[in-house]
Amino acid sequence: MKVRTIAELVGGKAEGDLDREMTSGRALDRAGPGDLAFWESRSGAAALPDTAAGCVIVGPDAVAPGRTLIRARRPRNAFARALRALRPEPPTAPGIHAGAAVSRAAKIAEGVAVGPHAVIESGAAVGRGTVIGPGAFLGAGAQVGEDCRLHAGARVSGGCRIGDRVVLHAGACIGADGFGLVFETDHYEKFPQIGAVVIGDDVEIGANSCVDRGALDDTRIGAGTKLDNLVHIGHNCQIGKHVVMAAQVGLSGGVTVEDYAVLGGQAGIGEGARIGARAQLGGQGGLLPDKTLAKDGVYWGTPARPLRERLAAQARVNRLPKLQEQVKRLRSRLDALEKK
Amino acid sequence: MKVRTIAELVGGKAEGDLDREMTSGRALDRAGPGDLAFWESRSGAAALPDTAAGCVIVGPDAVAPGRTLIRARRPRNAFARALRALRPEPPTAPGIHAGAAVSRAAKIAEGVAVGPHAVIESGAAVGRGTVIGPGAFLGAGAQVGEDCRLHAGARVSGGCRIGDRVVLHAGACIGADGFGLVFETDHYEKFPQIGAVVIGDDVEIGANSCVDRGALDDTRIGAGTKLDNLVHIGHNCQIGKHVVMAAQVGLSGGVTVEDYAVLGGQAGIGEGARIGARAQLGGQGGLLPDKTLAKDGVYWGTPARPLRERLAAQARVNRLPKLQEQVKRLRSRLDALEKK
Amino acid sequence: MKVRTIAELVGGKAEGDLDREMTSGRALDRAGPGDLAFWESRSGAAALPDTAAGCVIVGPDAVAPGRTLIRARRPRNAFARALRALRPEPPTAPGIHAGAAVSRAAKIAEGVAVGPHAVIESGAAVGRGTVIGPGAFLGAGAQVGEDCRLHAGARVSGGCRIGDRVVLHAGACIGADGFGLVFETDHYEKFPQIGAVVIGDDVEIGANSCVDRGALDDTRIGAGTKLDNLVHIGHNCQIGKHVVMAAQVGLSGGVTVEDYAVLGGQAGIGEGARIGARAQLGGQGGLLPDKTLAKDGVYWGTPARPLRERLAAQARVNRLPKLQEQVKRLRSRLDALEKK
């Protein structure tokens, strides 16, 4: 793809050799003549570091005389867009592999690809352009929208409903039973888990992550939300739109997460808690059951506290030796005074 | 199912329209005329909130004149029991799918269902009424009891033994090698992992959870124990009966957990530690290697401390600014005294 | 295997009945006449406890008159070596199962075993002696070396490269997309993930663990490194040789871990952080983004601090009631002085 074409695509302004052909993208320090790269300087008018990249996407004020550049307001975003065009995901030929087990009572739209050893049960429906990977599973009555991608071994249990352009990475498990128990005399019985999981458009769910079905009502994940690997979403959680959860985050049952919230890796959220819109909880943070994080707040630690408060508390603990020293000195002075 | 039948089933007392037909169950605020619901008031004689539910299971003293009710001592438990009857898990037709790979040297009892692409190796045995889901795996010599359910892609490695009525959710992995290493000069060698995993009756293990085989002896999980998703049980752990572990709990090797203990989500237990009967450890709590939680105790934090102690320590840290202020004031007073 | 043969194998010195036949190994307190066991006393010249073991590997100074022994400098290591010989992993007959889906454009070396329902895509290569388990997956162009073992349902995505003698346990997922996002106005777009995963020789990766592919460059795991179950390795991490990570450890993107480092269970490492050679981080410890753990250091807690510092801080918090008491007493004395 020519530099001029990339510039148009990303809404940037090209300089230098506009007809140069780019074939891929790499990091600035590893890029070669056929590679697009990007560079975001902290101060605007800094000089571009040495690089062998054929073309670099830079900010409006970067200094790089004689180089082939594309100037864009947000180089990283422009680079991501360009690279999605330069290196599109290889298409999967549509068709149902002879080794897949697809129920005759499933509705498979045109242009769907079903890989070897995938299983699609009765009443399941798959929208056009979707790719069901090797060994993936759709239970009875499960619905998957258009242009989705279920990677190898991704699993969607019966009755769950998934929107368009959703990506489930390998081993992701949608719709296992929620963890609902009732104690009877001397043992636990199961609280029935008859809700489903409903996932909006453009959601991405990481490898080996688990989203449990609701007990009575549905577990919901809003459009555009992105979950990393090994995340656990308990039954009846209501996750908003464009929420981001890093790897190994765990949500107990009945948690509400509002739009654009961000949870750092290994954060844990107690039953019935609520996370306000755009709130952020740092990695390993823990929110106790039924507690709330205010919208737009930034929180850290267990139990989760506003970041500033948490840092102040840490600083106070770190200053404890000084405080002990002060108390000791006061005592000496008091001893001296009393002897007078 | 008629209200009067449900009342008998749960040992409750019906009031109102005893012949009303219930078809499912939902939460009180979402239930319709065909739905059973339940309501547990905090104080006994409170008034039932507005609801469209056809019938509500309530406590002995709830106030709801004119409503169709079932009175039971523990409404939530009664509701769970009723719903298990109203909405039983759909039966799976017995039979071995043509696309499954079942060794001729495996023993498959009558009434077993084996899904497409399941693999059952030589010497494995499956008890009557058990459902082996799509893509599930039983290694050589593995034994699974009666009326078990292995969901899609659940895996039981060679030689492991599983009781009756056990549920393994999708992707659960029983019997991977334990993490045993010996250091030799400049690299690690494997400490052989030749024990098995032995799981009692009525155990439920969550999606993508892992229970490792023992090194020399077996890893054991007692009857009635319930593990949520993404739980890790290290080699040679000895888990008692009716233990509950929430999602993402991790146990190192050789941990003992006694009957009825409860571990909150993301709790972590060090090698060789012991958790007493009925002890509870809060979410994200951490027990150091070789330490013990006393039976019946309630613990929180890392390192795990009795909950009261932990809360008191937190409160003291929160009061540190006040202590610093007190010290400052003492110093001023002392300054004044010394100047006299 | 005779005691004398075992002694030779482990470089130890046999005593007693050198022709006794050992058939397996067990823990000292459970071993029988055909079992090898081992015993490491804390003090050198202690007396071997009672045991029914047929032969015990002990240290040079252990006291056990009349017993059949093998003396070795490091009994546990010697035992592990002996047991690997006594109980070798059962061999898997080479050959491609009729129920596997292997592309004609894949290169499968001699002596490879491919289990039922495994999938090997076009351009993938498998080295001699490697076992591809039931339902395992190799994406297009993936390369797996010699004498590797992919357990049931292990997955290697397209283009990833794996060395020799590598073990991937059940459900391990190599090469899912990294978690790279760019924010565009009101939603997230994917930052392309076109790097691969490159894994060195003798690496072992636990059940349901995930190693993500790099964004632009590769994610790398050095030779001899061992990861336990449910570990998450983010995109572009650079893991050295002989690193050990216990279960449920999580690494964000771009983390560097140098040779021989050890991470305790559930530890979490922030983006771009660096862990020096041989450094150790205790279980549940957390290292903030872009921070460094010095080589050879021992760290604990979140944020990670040198272990001594962390323990001292804890001790100070525990002594707070005493400090409060001291301040109170100073105030009383000051009150008395002022009244004079």
Side-chain angles (χ1 to χ4, degrees):
Chain A
M1 196 178 281
K2 285 190 199 313
V3 167
R4 73 169 77 243
T5 317
I6 297 172
E8 275 168 34
L9 179 79
V10 305
K13 193 167 154 286
E15 299 177 9
D17 179 0
L18 306 200
D19 290 316
R20 193 172 283 178
E21 278 289 337
M22 297 290 105
T23 56
S24 187
R26 294 201 76 181
L28 193 69
D29 57 342
R30 294 169 178 253
D35 288 328
L36 185 69
F38 73 100
W39 185 61
E40 289 189 329
S41 67
R42 302 216 167 167
S43 62
L48 178 70
D50 264 1
T51 172
C55 173
V56 185
I57 305 182
V58 298
D61 304 321
V63 177
R67 300 294 315 236
T68 293
L69 304 172
I70 295 170
R71 292 191 184 275
R73 228 160 23 91
R74 302 165 77 196
R76 189 169 182 271
N77 288 35
F79 176 81
R81 178 171 298 185
L83 196 51
R84 288 197 299 269
L86 272 173
R87 294 280 301 261
E89 213 170 310
T92 305
I96 297 178
H97 190 280
V102 179
S103 165
R104 287 182 194 174
K107 291 159 234 155
I108 312 294
E110 277 178 63
V112 165
V114 180
H117 313 137
V119 174
I120 303 182
E121 293 188 346
S122 165
V126 182
R128 88 175 45 198
T130 283
V131 177
I132 305 293
F137 169 71
L138 292 190
Q143 294 171 30
V144 175
E146 301 186 355
D147 295 318
C148 292
R149 175 128 202 178
L150 274 64
H151 286 270
R155 302 181 180 102
V156 181
S157 296
C160 297
R161 303 188 298 284
I162 288 178
D164 297 333
R165 298 174 303 281
V166 169
V167 178
L168 303 183
H169 285 285
C173 177
I174 310 302
D177 282 355
F179 197 61
L181 303 170
V182 290
F183 193 75
E184 292 277 10
T185 316
D186 58 358
H187 69 284
Y188 294 93
E189 293 278 350
K190 197 178 182 75
F191 191 98
Q193 303 291 314
I194 62 172
V197 176
V198 179
I199 293 181
D201 297 337
D202 300 300
V203 167
E204 187 158 351
I205 293 183
N208 288 342
S209 284
C210 300
V211 181
D212 278 357
R213 63 175 61 247
L216 302 177
D217 297 304
D218 298 333
T219 302
R220 288 173 183 275
I221 297 186
T225 284
K226 313 290 183 188
L227 310 185
D228 200 350
N229 298 338
L230 294 166
V231 166
H232 165 75
I233 306 292
H235 55 143
N236 297 95
C237 286
Q238 307 293 311
I239 315 291
K241 296 177 183 173
H242 311 295
V243 168
V244 170
M245 300 191 199
Q248 297 175 323
V249 162
L251 271 61
S252 302
V255 170
T256 301
V257 183
E258 296 179 2
D259 300 350
Y260 297 106
V262 177
L263 303 184
Q266 299 183 332
I269 312 296
E271 202 155 337
R274 168 178 291 265
I275 295 174
R278 296 172 301 280
Q280 299 183 27
L281 176 58
Q284 297 187 329
L287 184 61
L288 300 194
D290 297 316
K291 297 288 182 186
T292 294
L293 298 187
K295 66 178 183 169
D296 296 305
V298 180
Y299 296 85
W300 193 36
T302 302
R305 293 269 182 268
L307 177 59
R308 283 183 178 206
E309 232 177 75
R310 173 69 57 187
L311 292 175
Q314 263 179 20
R316 278 194 292 269
V317 170
N318 292 341
R319 279 196 306 263
L320 269 177
K322 208 175 136 191
L323 187 65
Q324 287 171 326
E325 190 50 44
Q326 289 171 346
V327 169
K328 203 172 156 191
R329 230 174 304 138
L330 289 181
R331 193 165 41 201
S332 304
R333 290 166 60 187
L334 205 47
D335 289 349
L337 269 182
E338 287 174 339
K339 278 183 194 152
K340 275 190 189 169
Chain B
M1 196 178 280
K2 285 190 199 312
V3 167
R4 73 169 76 243
T5 317
I6 297 172
E8 274 168 36
L9 179 79
V10 305
K13 193 166 155 287
E15 299 177 10
D17 179 0
L18 306 200
D19 291 315
R20 192 172 285 178
E21 278 288 337
M22 297 290 106
T23 56
S24 187
R26 294 201 75 181
L28 193 69
D29 56 344
R30 293 168 179 253
D35 288 327
L36 184 70
F38 73 100
W39 184 62
E40 288 189 328
S41 67
R42 301 215 170 167
S43 62
L48 178 69
D50 264 1
T51 172
C55 174
V56 185
I57 306 183
V58 298
D61 304 320
V63 177
R67 299 296 314 236
T68 294
L69 303 171
I70 295 169
R71 292 191 185 276
R73 227 159 22 92
R74 303 165 78 196
R76 187 169 183 272
N77 289 35
F79 176 82
R81 178 171 298 187
L83 196 51
R84 287 197 299 268
L86 272 173
R87 294 280 300 262
E89 211 169 312
T92 305
I96 298 178
H97 190 280
V102 179
S103 164
R104 286 182 194 172
K107 291 160 232 152
I108 311 295
E110 276 178 63
V112 165
V114 179
H117 313 138
V119 175
I120 303 182
E121 293 188 346
S122 165
V126 182
R128 88 172 45 199
T130 283
V131 177
I132 306 292
F137 169 71
L138 292 190
Q143 294 172 31
V144 175
E146 301 187 354
D147 295 317
C148 292
R149 174 127 203 181
L150 273 64
H151 286 270
R155 302 183 179 100
V156 181
S157 296
C160 296
R161 303 188 296 284
I162 288 178
D164 296 334
R165 298 173 304 281
V166 169
V167 178
L168 303 183
H169 285 286
C173 176
I174 310 302
D177 282 354
F179 197 60
L181 302 170
V182 289
F183 194 75
E184 292 278 10
T185 316
D186 58 359
H187 69 283
Y188 294 94
E189 293 278 351
K190 198 177 181 76
F191 191 98
Q193 303 290 315
I194 62 172
V197 177
V198 180
I199 293 180
D201 296 338
D202 299 300
V203 167
E204 186 159 350
I205 293 183
N208 287 343
S209 284
C210 300
V211 182
D212 279 356
R213 62 174 63 246
L216 302 177
D217 296 304
D218 298 333
T219 302
R220 289 173 182 275
I221 298 185
T225 284
K226 314 288 183 188
L227 311 185
D228 200 350
N229 298 337
L230 294 166
V231 166
H232 164 76
I233 306 292
H235 54 146
N236 297 96
C237 285
Q238 306 293 312
I239 315 291
K241 296 178 182 172
H242 311 295
V243 168
V244 170
M245 300 191 199
Q248 297 174 322
V249 162
L251 271 58
S252 303
V255 170
T256 301
V257 183
E258 296 179 2
D259 300 351
Y260 296 106
V262 176
L263 304 184
Q266 300 183 332
I269 312 297
E271 203 155 336
R274 169 178 290 267
I275 295 174
R278 295 172 302 280
Q280 299 182 27
L281 176 58
Q284 297 187 328
L287 184 61
L288 301 193
D290 297 317
K291 297 288 181 185
T292 295
L293 297 188
K295 66 176 184 171
D296 296 305
V298 180
Y299 296 85
W300 193 36
T302 303
R305 293 268 182 269
L307 177 59
R308 283 183 178 206
E309 230 178 77
R310 172 69 57 186
L311 293 175
Q314 264 180 19
R316 278 193 293 269
V317 170
N318 293 341
R319 277 195 309 264
L320 269 178
K322 209 174 137 192
L323 187 64
Q324 286 170 326
E325 191 49 46
Q326 289 171 346
V327 169
K328 204 172 153 190
R329 231 175 301 138
L330 289 181
R331 193 165 40 200
S332 305
R333 289 168 61 188
L334 206 45
D335 290 347
L337 270 183
E338 286 174 337
K339 277 182 197 154
K340 272 188 194 170
Chain C
M1 195 179 281
K2 284 192 200 311
V3 167
R4 72 169 77 243
T5 316
I6 297 172
E8 273 168 37
L9 179 79
V10 305
K13 193 167 156 285
E15 299 176 10
D17 179 359
L18 306 200
D19 291 315
R20 193 172 285 177
E21 279 287 337
M22 296 292 107
T23 57
S24 188
R26 294 202 75 181
L28 193 69
D29 57 343
R30 293 168 179 254
D35 289 327
L36 185 70
F38 73 100
W39 184 61
E40 287 189 329
S41 68
R42 301 216 168 168
S43 62
L48 178 70
D50 264 2
T51 172
C55 174
V56 185
I57 305 183
V58 297
D61 304 321
V63 177
R67 300 294 314 235
T68 293
L69 303 172
I70 295 170
R71 293 192 183 274
R73 225 159 25 91
R74 302 165 77 196
R76 188 169 182 272
N77 289 34
F79 176 81
R81 178 172 297 186
L83 196 51
R84 287 196 300 268
L86 272 172
R87 292 279 301 262
E89 212 170 310
T92 306
I96 297 177
H97 190 280
V102 178
S103 165
R104 286 182 195 173
K107 290 160 233 155
I108 310 294
E110 277 178 63
V112 165
V114 179
H117 313 138
V119 174
I120 303 182
E121 293 188 346
S122 165
V126 182
R128 89 174 43 199
T130 283
V131 177
I132 306 293
F137 169 71
L138 292 191
Q143 295 171 30
V144 176
E146 301 187 352
D147 295 317
C148 291
R149 175 128 203 178
L150 274 66
H151 286 271
R155 300 179 181 105
V156 181
S157 296
C160 296
R161 303 188 296 285
I162 288 178
D164 296 333
R165 298 174 304 279
V166 169
V167 178
L168 303 183
H169 285 286
C173 176
I174 309 301
D177 282 355
F179 197 60
L181 302 170
V182 291
F183 193 74
E184 292 277 11
T185 316
D186 58 358
H187 70 283
Y188 295 92
E189 293 278 352
K190 197 178 182 78
F191 191 98
Q193 304 290 315
I194 61 173
V197 176
V198 180
I199 293 181
D201 297 337
D202 300 300
V203 167
E204 187 158 350
I205 293 183
N208 287 343
S209 285
C210 300
V211 182
D212 279 357
R213 63 173 62 245
L216 302 177
D217 297 303
D218 298 333
T219 302
R220 287 172 183 276
I221 297 186
T225 284
K226 313 289 183 188
L227 310 185
D228 200 350
N229 298 338
L230 294 166
V231 166
H232 164 76
I233 306 291
H235 55 144
N236 297 95
C237 285
Q238 306 293 311
I239 315 291
K241 296 177 183 173
H242 312 295
V243 168
V244 169
M245 299 191 200
Q248 297 175 323
V249 162
L251 272 58
S252 303
V255 170
T256 301
V257 183
E258 296 179 2
D259 299 351
Y260 297 107
V262 177
L263 304 184
Q266 299 183 332
I269 312 296
E271 203 156 335
R274 169 178 289 266
I275 295 174
R278 295 172 302 279
Q280 300 183 27
L281 176 58
Q284 296 187 329
L287 184 61
L288 300 193
D290 297 317
K291 297 288 182 188
T292 294
L293 297 187
K295 63 178 186 170
D296 296 306
V298 180
Y299 297 85
W300 193 36
T302 302
R305 293 267 183 268
L307 177 59
R308 284 184 178 203
E309 233 177 75
R310 172 70 57 188
L311 292 175
Q314 264 180 20
R316 279 193 292 269
V317 169
N318 292 341
R319 278 196 307 263
L320 269 177
K322 208 175 138 193
L323 187 64
Q324 286 171 326
E325 192 48 47
Q326 288 170 346
V327 170
K328 203 173 155 191
R329 232 175 300 137
L330 289 182
R331 195 165 41 203
S332 305
R333 289 167 60 190
L334 206 46
D335 289 347
L337 270 183
E338 286 173 337
K339 277 183 197 152
K340 275 190 190 168

